[in-house]
Amino acid sequence: MNSVWLLVVTILIFIVAYTVYGNYLYKKWGIDPSRKTPAHTMRDGVDYVPAKAPVLLGHHFSSIAGAGPIVGPIAAAIFGWVPVLLWIIVGSIFFGGVHDMGSLFASIRNKGKSLGEVIGISMGSRGKKLFAIFAWLTLILVVAAFTNIVANTFVAVPQAATASLLFIILAIGFGFFVYRKGFSLAAGSVIGVIALIGCIFLGNVFPISLSKNVWMIILLGYIFIASVTPVWILLQPRDYLNSFLLYGMLIGGFVGILIMRPTIKLAAVTSFNINGKLLFPMLFVTVACGAVSGFHSLVGSGTTSKQLDSEKDIKVVGYGSMLIEGVLAVIAIITVAYLSKGKFTSLLGAGGPINVFSDGLGTFMTSFGVDYSIGKSFTALAISAFALTSLDTATRLARFIFQEMAADIKSQDNPLTNKYTATLITVLISGFLGFNGWTTIWPIFGAANQLLSALALLAIAVWLKKMGKEYKMALFPMIFMFAVTLSALTLIIKANLNNYILLGFAVALFILAIILIVEAKKAFADKTEILDIESDSE
């Protein structure tokens, strides 16, 4: 079978879904472009700063993408390409799209607060505290892991380290001229993209080689600064410019596949049980980004909601980003599916899923004249840029949630609500975990992340019901994701009876999920409707 059909048909399905189902959600939820968003009503020049739709799409897409939509589908290809492809398509449209758009919408209507605050309003303070603690601990693990991943990448590919440092300087210059000197976004984008290419060139000429521990310390210092600086000077411009790398990678892969027309060689379906890994639930835990991912809800209700210029942008930023990520996930599965089983195993063993993906895109790009080594290096560099983006976005999100938790402590001049204190505590704990065995509990991250998506869908469903709006589009995905994650946690507990740390985390997550389900059941039974906070404040 020709892989061109997979890609083209999937994109057509996503276009129809964006038009039909995206509009359905937009109308059913009563999205209103005439309402002022928190970015305007609470503008502070630091976190609440309105951004034009293309800029915010770039930030949101860069933050949620990371390496997730690439690593997950390639790792899940052991079950065959058909179940992975079906989950990407169905998941992106009916699970991830609803989850991401709903998280953004609920946050917008609650002063740009996190989903934990939304739970507090619709389910009570206990649900809010449990969700906030769970989300913060998950982000601590993400920061610890991504600090290691980025440091390892910089050691292995020092060209990426140089280019990434130059990207930061470029982003600061872009933000200053566009947001403070009134430079045109279009002209700035053209110059920025040219400079971006220059950074890649200079990175290849002047690679910076340092040890992993030195990079770890530099990265921890960077994310502290990046988390407390105004979004317009670094986060917005850097993510916007980085998104061009991702678009370039996507276009390169798309055009390469169209010209090369690689034939699918991987088995369509292999087995339900692969060396003890069961297709259900493990496929739905392994393929997170690219179908549905709890981390997206934290980004949508964290940094993105504070920068949304108009409610009309909710659909393109929330739902559209998820579908674009689905396209990236389909390209990732094609980079596996056209390989023989022997070559797939060899590439996977030599450098993991990123190596498989980079090799595939490098090969596809040769069809229109790009040298294989340049195409592969460009792909690896683009992925490392997104991992760095996800890293500092996760740090800022953890800071938001910590400040919200600290705000509940009734004390005059509570220092824990200070953004510097909140960031310092987050970075220190993440750094300690990053230097001391984050890998011990990393195997549970997939289940924890998907449990977070189930909790986010629960929060959205309860809030929509309390607001008197249609909520079944969130209810059914929520039930499925709870079934997936509770099943996965049961298997993890059974397989790790002698690993007390991992066992403890798995049991704690399982109990937490049950408590929140009970709280949600009470909230669903409660007939009391809640006020629309944002409109009430105007």
Side-chain angles (χ1 to χ4, degrees):
M1 183 178 178
N2 195 304
S3 58
V4 171
W5 286 108
L6 295 185
L7 186 57
V8 172
V9 170
T10 301
I11 290 174
L12 289 175
I13 291 173
F14 282 166
I15 291 172
V16 172
Y18 180 78
T19 306
V20 177
Y21 200 54
N23 284 344
Y24 170 78
L25 298 175
Y26 191 100
K27 292 176 182 174
K28 281 291 181 182
W29 290 347
I31 292 173
D32 182 3
S34 67
R35 297 171 63 108
K36 287 185 178 179
T37 61
H40 292 282
T41 59
M42 302 177 67
R43 185 170 187 158
D44 62 4
V46 179
D47 298 318
Y48 289 84
V49 180
K52 294 179 181 177
V55 175
L56 191 57
L57 179 67
H59 157 68
H60 187 76
F61 186 29
S62 298
S63 298
I64 66 170
I70 297 165
V71 173
I74 292 176
I78 57 173
F79 296 111
W81 63 268
V82 168
V84 178
L85 180 69
L86 289 176
W87 173 230
I88 290 170
I89 294 174
V90 175
S92 296
I93 296 172
F94 298 107
F95 288 67
V98 174
H99 172 276
D100 292 13
M101 187 170 165
S103 301
L104 180 56
F105 178 51
S107 179
I108 286 296
R109 291 295 179 94
N110 287 278
K111 300 183 178 179
K113 297 287 187 180
S114 71
L115 278 185
E117 292 290 324
V118 177
I119 287 179
I121 293 166
S122 53
M123 290 171 52
S125 61
R126 185 160 67 171
K128 170 191 166 183
K129 290 174 183 172
L130 290 173
F131 182 88
I133 292 170
F134 175 69
W136 188 71
L137 290 176
T138 302
L139 286 168
I140 289 289
L141 183 56
V142 170
V143 174
F146 271 70
T147 305
N148 272 271
I149 291 169
V150 175
N152 280 331
T153 303
F154 285 177
V155 171
V157 189
Q159 296 87 346
T162 307
S164 295
L165 294 178
L166 292 173
F167 285 175
I168 294 169
I169 298 171
L170 173 62
I172 292 172
F174 182 93
F176 176 75
F177 283 105
V178 171
Y179 293 108
R180 287 295 179 266
K181 295 297 179 182
F183 206 69
S184 155
L185 178 63
S189 300
V190 173
I191 297 171
V193 170
I194 293 172
L196 203 60
I197 296 170
C199 292
I200 296 171
F201 172 78
L202 290 173
N204 279 283
V205 175
F206 304 106
I208 298 176
S209 297
L210 299 172
S211 70
K212 180 186 172 183
N213 284 347
V214 173
W215 277 124
M216 290 271 290
I217 294 169
I218 292 173
L219 287 169
L220 290 170
Y222 163 73
I223 59 177
F224 176 87
I225 296 170
S227 174
V228 296
T229 52
V231 293
W232 63 266
I233 191 67
L234 182 58
L235 185 139
Q236 281 183 356
R238 188 214 48 210
D239 292 1
Y240 175 62
L241 291 173
N242 271 350
S243 68
F244 286 99
L245 280 178
L246 188 51
Y247 298 146
M249 191 173 75
L250 277 170
I251 293 170
F254 178 75
V255 174
I257 291 170
L258 286 185
I259 297 174
M260 182 170 279
R261 304 172 68 84
T263 301
I264 301 293
K265 295 178 182 174
L266 195 72
V269 181
T270 55
S271 173
F272 187 83
N273 186 342
I274 304 291
N275 300 323
K277 290 185 178 180
L278 305 181
L279 187 147
F280 183 90
M282 299 318 294
L283 169 68
F284 306 95
V285 170
T286 307
V287 183
C289 292
V292 59
S293 166
F295 180 65
H296 294 192
S297 69
L298 301 182
V299 176
S301 66
T303 51
T304 305
S305 60
K306 294 174 178 60
Q307 302 171 66
L308 196 84
D309 186 44
S310 166
E311 283 200 5
K312 68 179 173 55
D313 300 335
I314 288 177
K315 181 184 161 190
V316 66
V317 174
Y319 199 76
S321 291
M322 184 62 243
L323 296 183
I324 297 173
E325 193 179 76
V327 173
L328 179 60
V330 171
I331 291 177
I333 194 65
I334 291 175
T335 63
V336 178
Y338 90 106
L339 298 173
S340 64
K341 185 178 179 181
K343 188 172 182 182
F344 171 47
T345 305
S346 172
L347 287 170
L348 196 63
I354 298 297
N355 188 43
V356 176
F357 184 76
S358 301
D359 180 85
L361 253 63
T363 303
F364 298 156
M365 290 182 193
T366 61
S367 65
F368 54 91
V370 176
D371 182 78
Y372 165 77
S373 60
I374 293 176
K376 184 173 180 178
S377 297
F378 168 74
T379 304
L381 192 139
I383 295 170
S384 71
F386 297 124
L388 186 59
T389 299
S390 297
L391 173 62
D392 58 35
T393 298
T395 309
R396 187 179 287 262
L397 294 172
R399 188 255 287 177
F400 288 157
I401 293 172
F402 189 92
Q403 286 181 282
E404 288 178 358
M405 287 192 295
D408 288 339
I409 301 173
K410 304 300 181 187
S411 170
Q412 194 172 9
D413 298 326
N414 183 356
L416 296 178
T417 59
N418 180 279
K419 67 178 180 181
Y420 300 105
T421 307
T423 304
L424 184 63
I425 292 173
T426 298
V427 171
L428 286 178
I429 295 176
S430 300
F432 177 79
L433 195 60
F435 278 108
N436 297 282
W438 63 278
T439 53
T440 305
I441 57 174
W442 183 249
I444 209 172
F445 174 71
N449 184 45
Q450 294 305 68
L451 179 56
L452 190 59
S453 73
L455 295 175
L457 286 163
L458 183 151
I460 295 165
V462 173
W463 177 74
L464 287 170
K465 181 179 183 296
K466 293 272 183 179
M467 292 287 291
K469 298 179 184 293
E470 179 60 67
Y471 64 95
K472 290 186 174 60
M473 59 284 279
L475 186 65
F476 296 121
M478 177 202 77
I479 293 170
F480 181 80
M481 293 312 297
F482 269 122
V484 165
T485 50
L486 293 180
S487 301
L489 286 171
T490 302
L491 293 175
I492 291 172
I493 291 170
K494 186 179 176 184
N496 293 278
L497 293 176
N498 296 321
N499 185 339
Y500 298 118
I501 296 177
L502 198 59
L503 181 66
F505 270 91
V507 170
L509 289 179
F510 194 96
I511 294 172
L512 171 65
I514 297 299
I515 293 173
L516 281 169
I517 289 171
V518 172
E519 292 291 324
K521 188 178 177 183
K522 293 178 186 173
F524 272 119
D526 186 358
K527 304 294 184 185
T528 307
E529 293 195 351
I530 56 178
L531 294 174
D532 189 330
I533 285 183
E534 190 61 28
S535 65
D536 191 44
S537 68
E538 291 172 7

